[in-house]
Amino acid sequence: MTDVLPPGRYFTDGNFASTEGAILAGCRFFAGYPITPSSEILERMSKRLPEIGGHFIEMEDEIGSMAAIVGASNAGMKSMTATSGPGFSLMQENIGLGMITETPTIVLDEMRAGPSTGIPTRVGQGDVMQTRWGSHGDLAPITYSPNSVQESFDLTITAFNAAETYRQPVIIASDQVIGHLSETLEVKSEDEYEIVQRQTRKVRNGSEDVYNYSDDFVPMFVSGTGFRGNVDSLTHDEKGYPSNEAYVEKKMLEHLLNKVRKNEDKIVKYEEFYLDESDIVVVAYGITSRAAKYAVKIARKEGIKAGMFRPITLWPFPEKRITQLSQRTKTFIVPEINYGQYSHSVREVGQIETKEIHFTPGAVPDYKVILDQIRRSVS
Amino acid sequence: MKLGIRMYGMGGQGIMTLAKLVGEAAVEDGKFVIMTEEYSPYITGGWSKAELVISDESIDYPLLEGLDYLVTLSQEGLDTALDQLGPRSHVITEKSLVSVPDTLKSRSVEIPGVEISKSLKNPKGANIVLMGVFSSVTKTFSMESGRRAITKRFPKYVDANIGCFERGYEEGVKYGR
Amino acid sequence: MTSLEFHPKHQYVREERFPHVWCPGCGLGILLQSYIGAVEKSGIPQDNHVLVSGIGCTARIPGYVNMDTYHTTHGRAIPFATGIKLANPDLKVTVISGDGDLFNIGGNHFIHAARRNMDLLVICSNNFNYGMTGGQHGATTPPTSKSASTPYGNIEPAFNLPHLAYALGASYVARWTVMHPRQLVKSIKTAMEVKGFAFIEVLSPCPPNFAKFNGFADGFEEMEFYRSNSIVRNEAKLDDISIDPFHGKPVVLGDFVNRKRASYVTLERELIKKSMEGSR
């Protein structure tokens, strides 16, 4: 058999699709800890990776899982973990390690109701700000938000490519409903997918630095290939050596932030629906966008000029597009399965009337609530 | 066409397998299907529930907006759905486990799936009998697609399960819908 | 900068990084030398060695070693090293870190790596306190001793690290001090040949903290105290070798355990082979 899922149409769930998308993207190392609702990813990886010569290890906790995938990536393997809220909290410190050491890896966070243990089996969207600001210090994270089984597959591949291109951990913020609902998955043949392969350094000739802060991308070295480089969680210079100097912090940090900021146009992805001449724009992501789209369709039938904007990358924030939209629309409506998180960024950037809809974590949002808000916003 | 379907049973009756087979068969026929699942908090022995939307067009909203068909292998499945059943709703039940109130009889298909599957020497196949009934009653997928879905899922037990499926299909035809 | 060019082991260090950060009288220079000595004697090419550490004074050792080195987060060196080892089992991966890093914040990872018999060599420099943050007590601080956070004396019992490692299933277990450099080099070299989890505890002084708080004039005096109170017993009963020097108990040193147990990498290799055949 081939290593990847054969092309065809499947009726399957988001967790299956994420796993197979990762394998197609070249993931050959998975470390994780069981947690509802993402455990099926770990279970499928434990079966799939060994049979294609990859490595699977169930770690003692999510801290260890995150450390192990950063380690494995430094030894040259595309690596991944999957978790949910409590585990995602435990991973934050080593997500920062991946950021400062510029190590590509993937963290899939399947959001559930919180805070704390919350309701493990039920949906939430309370981690979206954590994917932006969860690890301490300044970061420029990249977060994808799938809203279907198809996107669970496709965006996992996109996320692996982004991790390699920008040399950093990339987060997939899925949710319990997307992970568990079943629908159609169309898989193309392997050669139709664009896969960014790991670029690595050749053996150092004695003078090469580990990093180059004036360049957005410098290939990384792989453990055991004779490069003899130092990889450090401390602020480090281009040689990779630790430093206490403010100017080194400035150079390193601005490089870490700019490599994403300068490339925002390439990274940012979104979907737009009925945005021509719309007075009301619903900004929704993940499972909530499915309810929002349905509500907007009904509103349009009623003659209401409503549209939908769906950020596919939550971060970097689609700042340019939201600014443009705010100049030709009157109201943003931001429904979320939380008590107002992404809405803050929409309001801050848009600077127009921004209404929040707070869905209590625990259920798929009721489209009628969004529809009602659209109707009230016109009257 | 856009149908809202609920399938309900107790742990071990194969309700999720039934729901997935129906979804797979409908997808084979080019339909759009979305399925959500829910389980009782008990690890074993509790209820399990799958809800499907089957449509000719792509589906945005994953939840049911109305209950067109209820397929249940347990009394609880019927009792908890009574207030959601509208005038156009239909019910497919396992006859030996569910008693249908007289007011619902005209819109119900009561099938002795357990008995049929035993007679076909596939005692765990009651869910597959109901899959056959569902296919002929709802016309959401063809017999051929049903057979293909079963073959994919049970490569080692193809004949026994297709036997149950075909027999269920015939039972459904008798109800003339 | 002093040139180390004529030092016999200069190719193993990053000359440009000296002088190092450690205090006068610290034992970590000896540990660094001992590790390098063992690498040289190991017969494994320099570029097949990888050195990983967590956070703390000891964790700065990799920064001075001229090979692929990883200075990770506090307590997480072992799972990081696990990732490297599994991704490339041909490498000789060593974790070198302090007692606080490996056994307080990182204790959970230690017990699981030892239980798995993960193919790693873990060297713990034990100075009985958190040196870098100013000498607070931790899980290895001996009973009744003083530290920056036990001004009235420590009321907690301390880990007996060799006993712990043995009970968890480690293939190799030893304890030495930086006053025993020859034995230490030999021990590290032997541990590098072990399949599975190898653990070496190395007692080391902390001149500005543990030494000062407990009445030693300097690091040397602290170490001389352990050395003169130590005995070498390779066959020691491990449940009886906890470190309690302030109550007259001798410090027991030795190469305690070297046993054959199936290692994680060996078993994983078999599992992968079997599952690859099965999927064809």
Side-chain angles (χ1 to χ4, degrees):
Chain A
M1 67 175 278
T2 54
D3 289 356
V4 302
L5 194 65
R9 292 183 90 208
Y10 295 83
F11 178 68
T12 190
D13 61 25
N15 282 343
F16 178 98
S18 302
T19 312
E20 291 298 337
I23 287 170
L24 193 141
C27 177
R28 291 296 179 272
F29 186 96
F30 183 98
Y33 185 82
I35 188 168
T36 303
S38 71
S39 294
E40 292 90 346
I41 297 177
L42 170 137
E43 289 171 10
R44 188 160 179 80
M45 284 291 189
S46 75
K47 180 177 184 303
R48 288 284 279 124
L49 284 177
E51 69 186 21
I52 58 174
H55 302 272
F56 165 87
I57 184 166
E58 191 171 308
M59 293 298 286
E60 50 274 13
D61 58 26
E62 287 89 346
I63 303 174
S65 304
M66 190 66 214
I69 63 169
V70 176
S73 183
N74 272 285
M77 279 206 170
K78 287 190 178 178
S79 64
M80 178 187 187
T81 191
T83 188
S84 187
F88 190 54
S89 290
L90 287 177
M91 288 176 181
Q92 293 304 327
E93 188 187 12
N94 285 328
I95 289 175
L97 174 68
M99 292 285 185
I100 202 168
T101 59
E102 303 192 50
T103 305
T105 188
I106 298 294
V107 181
L108 190 147
D109 173 31
E110 206 162 309
M111 294 186 284
R112 66 190 217 189
S116 193
T117 311
I119 311 175
T121 55
R122 290 188 181 272
V123 67
Q125 291 184 319
D127 305 356
V128 293
M129 280 300 172
Q130 194 180 15
T131 70
R132 175 65 187 86
W133 299 108
S135 194
H136 58 276
D138 290 290
L139 311 164
I142 300 171
T143 303
Y144 293 95
S145 162
N147 83 338
S148 63
V149 170
Q150 187 67 47
E151 274 195 355
S152 296
F153 187 86
D154 296 340
L155 279 183
T156 302
I157 298 168
T158 309
F160 268 95
N161 287 346
E164 295 299 330
T165 307
Y166 302 102
R167 269 193 72 174
Q168 66 178 35
V170 167
I171 295 159
I172 301 169
S174 186
D175 60 59
Q176 179 271 330
V177 175
I178 299 296
H180 282 173
L181 68 74
S182 298
E183 55 185 346
T184 311
L185 168 66
E186 301 257 9
V187 178
K188 297 182 283 186
S189 69
E190 194 179 355
D191 51 16
E192 288 179 65
Y193 291 95
E194 191 197 328
I195 305 295
V196 178
Q197 303 297 349
R198 172 73 54 89
Q199 286 189 53
T200 56
R201 298 285 277 285
K202 301 288 169 268
V203 174
R204 161 151 84 169
N205 60 19
S207 61
E208 271 182 65
D209 290 344
V210 175
Y211 302 100
N212 178 352
Y213 292 156
S214 44
D215 217 334
D216 288 353
F217 181 82
V218 174
M220 63 194 288
F221 76 86
V222 174
S223 329
T225 56
F227 192 84
R228 299 185 185 174
N230 184 50
V231 171
D232 215 302
S233 67
L234 287 164
T235 292
H236 43 260
D237 58 21
E238 289 172 325
K239 286 184 188 302
Y241 297 152
S243 169
N244 291 329
E245 303 293 340
Y247 76 90
V248 174
E249 169 79 1
K250 180 177 160 70
K251 256 186 110 172
M252 180 198 75
L253 193 53
E254 288 181 359
H255 159 71
L256 292 179
L257 301 178
N258 286 340
K259 69 181 179 181
V260 173
R261 285 182 181 166
K262 276 172 25 195
N263 293 296
E264 273 183 17
D265 287 348
K266 287 185 216 156
I267 302 168
V268 167
K269 285 167 81 83
Y270 48 80
E271 181 199 351
E272 298 184 335
F273 184 68
Y274 281 143
L275 278 192
D276 42 312
E277 291 176 36
S278 46
D279 296 333
I280 298 159
V281 174
V282 182
V283 181
Y285 55 89
I287 186 62
T288 309
S289 68
R290 304 275 294 251
K293 193 172 188 180
Y294 194 53
V296 165
K297 273 186 186 171
I298 297 170
R300 279 275 163 174
K301 279 184 195 151
E302 293 173 5
I304 301 172
K305 286 179 178 171
M308 187 185 82
F309 177 82
R310 175 168 78 92
I312 295 171
T313 43
L314 294 178
W315 316 109
F317 188 79
E319 195 164 327
K320 257 186 211 164
R321 192 60 186 147
I322 289 284
T323 306
Q324 285 168 356
L325 291 176
S326 66
Q327 282 154 9
R328 50 182 233 222
T329 196
K330 291 175 187 149
T331 307
F332 286 129
I333 296 174
V334 189
E336 303 176 81
I337 314 177
N338 59 47
Y339 280 72
Q341 292 198 14
Y342 206 68
S343 54
H344 292 285
S345 297
V346 175
R347 186 180 294 119
E348 176 190 317
V349 172
Q351 302 274 329
I352 58 168
E353 183 186 43
T354 303
K355 290 178 176 164
E356 299 181 359
I357 302 178
H358 303 158
F359 288 103
T360 303
V364 175
D366 184 347
Y367 73 90
K368 293 188 227 69
V369 176
I370 303 172
L371 184 58
D372 278 352
Q373 181 61 263
I374 295 172
R375 285 175 184 146
R376 267 184 283 138
S377 300
V378 274
S379 57
Chain B
M1 187 227 27
K2 187 177 176 189
L3 294 177
I5 299 140
R6 177 182 298 162
M7 299 190 173
Y8 197 104
M10 305 307 281
Q13 288 181 324
I15 209 75
M16 286 304 158
T17 306
L18 167 58
K20 279 177 187 157
L21 281 168
V22 164
E24 281 158 13
V27 165
E28 285 261 351
D29 273 358
K31 298 278 196 313
F32 290 88
V33 183
I34 191 161
M35 177 181 120
T36 53
E37 350 176 330
E38 208 180 322
Y39 304 86
S40 78
Y42 304 105
I43 290 169
T44 47
W47 52 265
S48 48
K49 179 168 85 172
E51 293 188 336
L52 298 102
V53 181
I54 301 181
S55 170
D56 292 327
E57 289 166 33
S58 79
I59 305 161
D60 299 315
Y61 193 56
L63 300 190
L64 304 189
E65 287 177 73
L67 198 49
D68 296 296
Y69 287 96
L70 171 70
V71 181
T72 180
L73 279 86
S74 92
Q75 188 66 43
E76 191 178 84
L78 181 62
D79 295 347
T80 52
L82 281 176
D83 60 348
Q84 294 153 48
L85 294 170
R88 283 173 34 233
S89 308
H90 296 276
V91 178
I92 299 169
T93 66
E94 163 55 48
K95 195 172 187 177
S96 66
L97 296 169
V98 184
S99 74
V100 178
D102 290 344
T103 49
L104 262 181
K105 287 274 185 196
S106 63
R107 290 182 281 135
S108 299
V109 183
E110 297 173 73
I111 299 293
V114 175
E115 197 185 303
I116 292 171
S117 65
K118 274 186 192 153
S119 75
L120 293 172
K121 308 233 177 330
N122 185 17
K124 285 181 176 173
N127 57 341
I128 308 297
V129 175
L130 265 72
M131 176 188 171
V133 176
F134 184 85
S135 171
S136 59
V137 168
T138 65
K139 312 269 193 298
T140 44
F141 59 91
S142 66
M143 205 170 188
E144 192 40 46
S145 295
R147 284 198 199 103
R148 266 206 298 274
I150 289 170
T151 308
K152 265 193 208 166
R153 188 164 278 267
F154 304 110
K156 287 181 189 159
Y157 307 96
V158 174
D159 293 346
N161 283 306
I162 285 189
C164 284
F165 173 69
E166 288 176 348
R167 182 64 193 285
Y169 194 94
E170 289 159 20
E171 289 291 323
V173 171
K174 286 186 204 160
Y175 281 81
R177 288 198 184 88
Chain C
M1 195 168 63
T2 353
S3 175
L4 299 176
E5 204 178 318
F6 300 106
H7 193 285
K9 295 189 175 70
H10 74 98
Q11 73 270 28
Y12 294 104
V13 295
R14 293 177 173 137
E15 199 180 321
E16 55 188 330
R17 292 223 58 225
F18 285 81
H20 57 64
V21 295
W22 301 310
C23 308
C26 179
L28 289 172
I30 301 173
L31 180 54
L32 167 61
Q33 277 262 12
S34 306
Y35 170 74
I36 287 170
V39 166
E40 192 178 37
K41 288 190 166 70
S42 70
I44 300 165
Q46 185 172 350
D47 288 332
N48 282 16
H49 283 277
V50 171
L51 194 52
V52 184
S53 67
I55 293 296
C57 295
T58 314
R60 292 303 189 96
I61 287 180
Y64 302 110
V65 179
N66 193 23
M67 52 176 64
D68 290 337
T69 56
Y70 298 88
H71 182 220
T72 70
T73 44
H74 197 19
R76 316 305 166 200
I78 289 177
F80 191 99
T82 297
I84 292 183
K85 180 66 190 180
L86 295 184
N88 186 353
D90 295 334
L91 301 177
K92 176 47 66 183
V93 183
T94 300
V95 169
I96 197 157
S97 226
D99 49 314
D101 186 76
L102 288 168
F103 291 98
N104 292 300
I105 191 166
N108 198 30
H109 307 305
F110 182 90
I111 65 174
H112 288 281
R115 172 185 62 80
R116 292 183 183 112
N117 208 21
M118 185 60 66
D119 302 58
L120 297 173
L121 163 57
V122 176
I123 302 172
C124 171
S125 158
N126 183 3
N127 62 6
F128 308 117
N129 69 175
Y130 291 97
M132 192 164 262
T133 51
Q136 298 81 7
H137 85 289
T140 51
T141 309
T144 73
S145 59
K146 300 263 175 79
S147 76
S149 56
T150 51
Y152 308 110
N154 182 24
I155 59 171
E156 295 182 20
F159 272 137
N160 171 351
L161 298 180
H163 188 215
L164 177 67
Y166 171 73
L168 295 168
S171 284
Y172 180 87
V173 183
R175 178 197 276 159
W176 294 102
T177 85
V178 292
M179 298 283 269
H180 298 78
R182 280 191 188 81
Q183 294 91 325
L184 182 53
V185 171
K186 202 169 148 246
S187 174
I188 297 174
K189 180 187 170 281
T190 309
M192 283 172 177
E193 292 157 7
V194 165
K195 271 195 193 310
F197 194 81
F199 174 66
I200 304 171
E201 177 183 14
V202 185
L203 307 187
S204 183
C206 188
N209 296 307
F210 195 79
K212 187 187 79 186
F213 286 119
N214 292 287
F216 298 109
D218 54 25
F220 179 76
E221 198 182 292
E222 185 191 345
M223 285 321 295
E224 181 53 31
F225 173 72
Y226 303 135
R227 198 195 58 77
S228 57
N229 284 303
S230 70
I231 47 171
V232 176
R233 289 276 183 280
N234 293 332
E235 312 297 324
K237 270 186 72 206
L238 294 184
D239 58 354
D240 197 32
I241 63 162
S242 62
I243 295 178
D244 190 7
F246 302 115
H247 300 95
K249 189 173 178 181
V251 176
V252 181
L253 308 172
D255 296 311
F256 304 125
V257 179
N258 194 350
R259 58 182 166 179
K260 282 202 166 58
R261 274 184 73 221
S263 84
Y264 187 94
V265 165
T266 312
L267 293 173
E268 198 215 20
R269 210 169 257 159
E270 283 170 20
L271 180 147
I272 290 173
K273 191 164 169 265
K274 224 164 59 187
S275 81
M276 286 179 88
E277 282 162 3
S279 72
R280 284 209 188 91

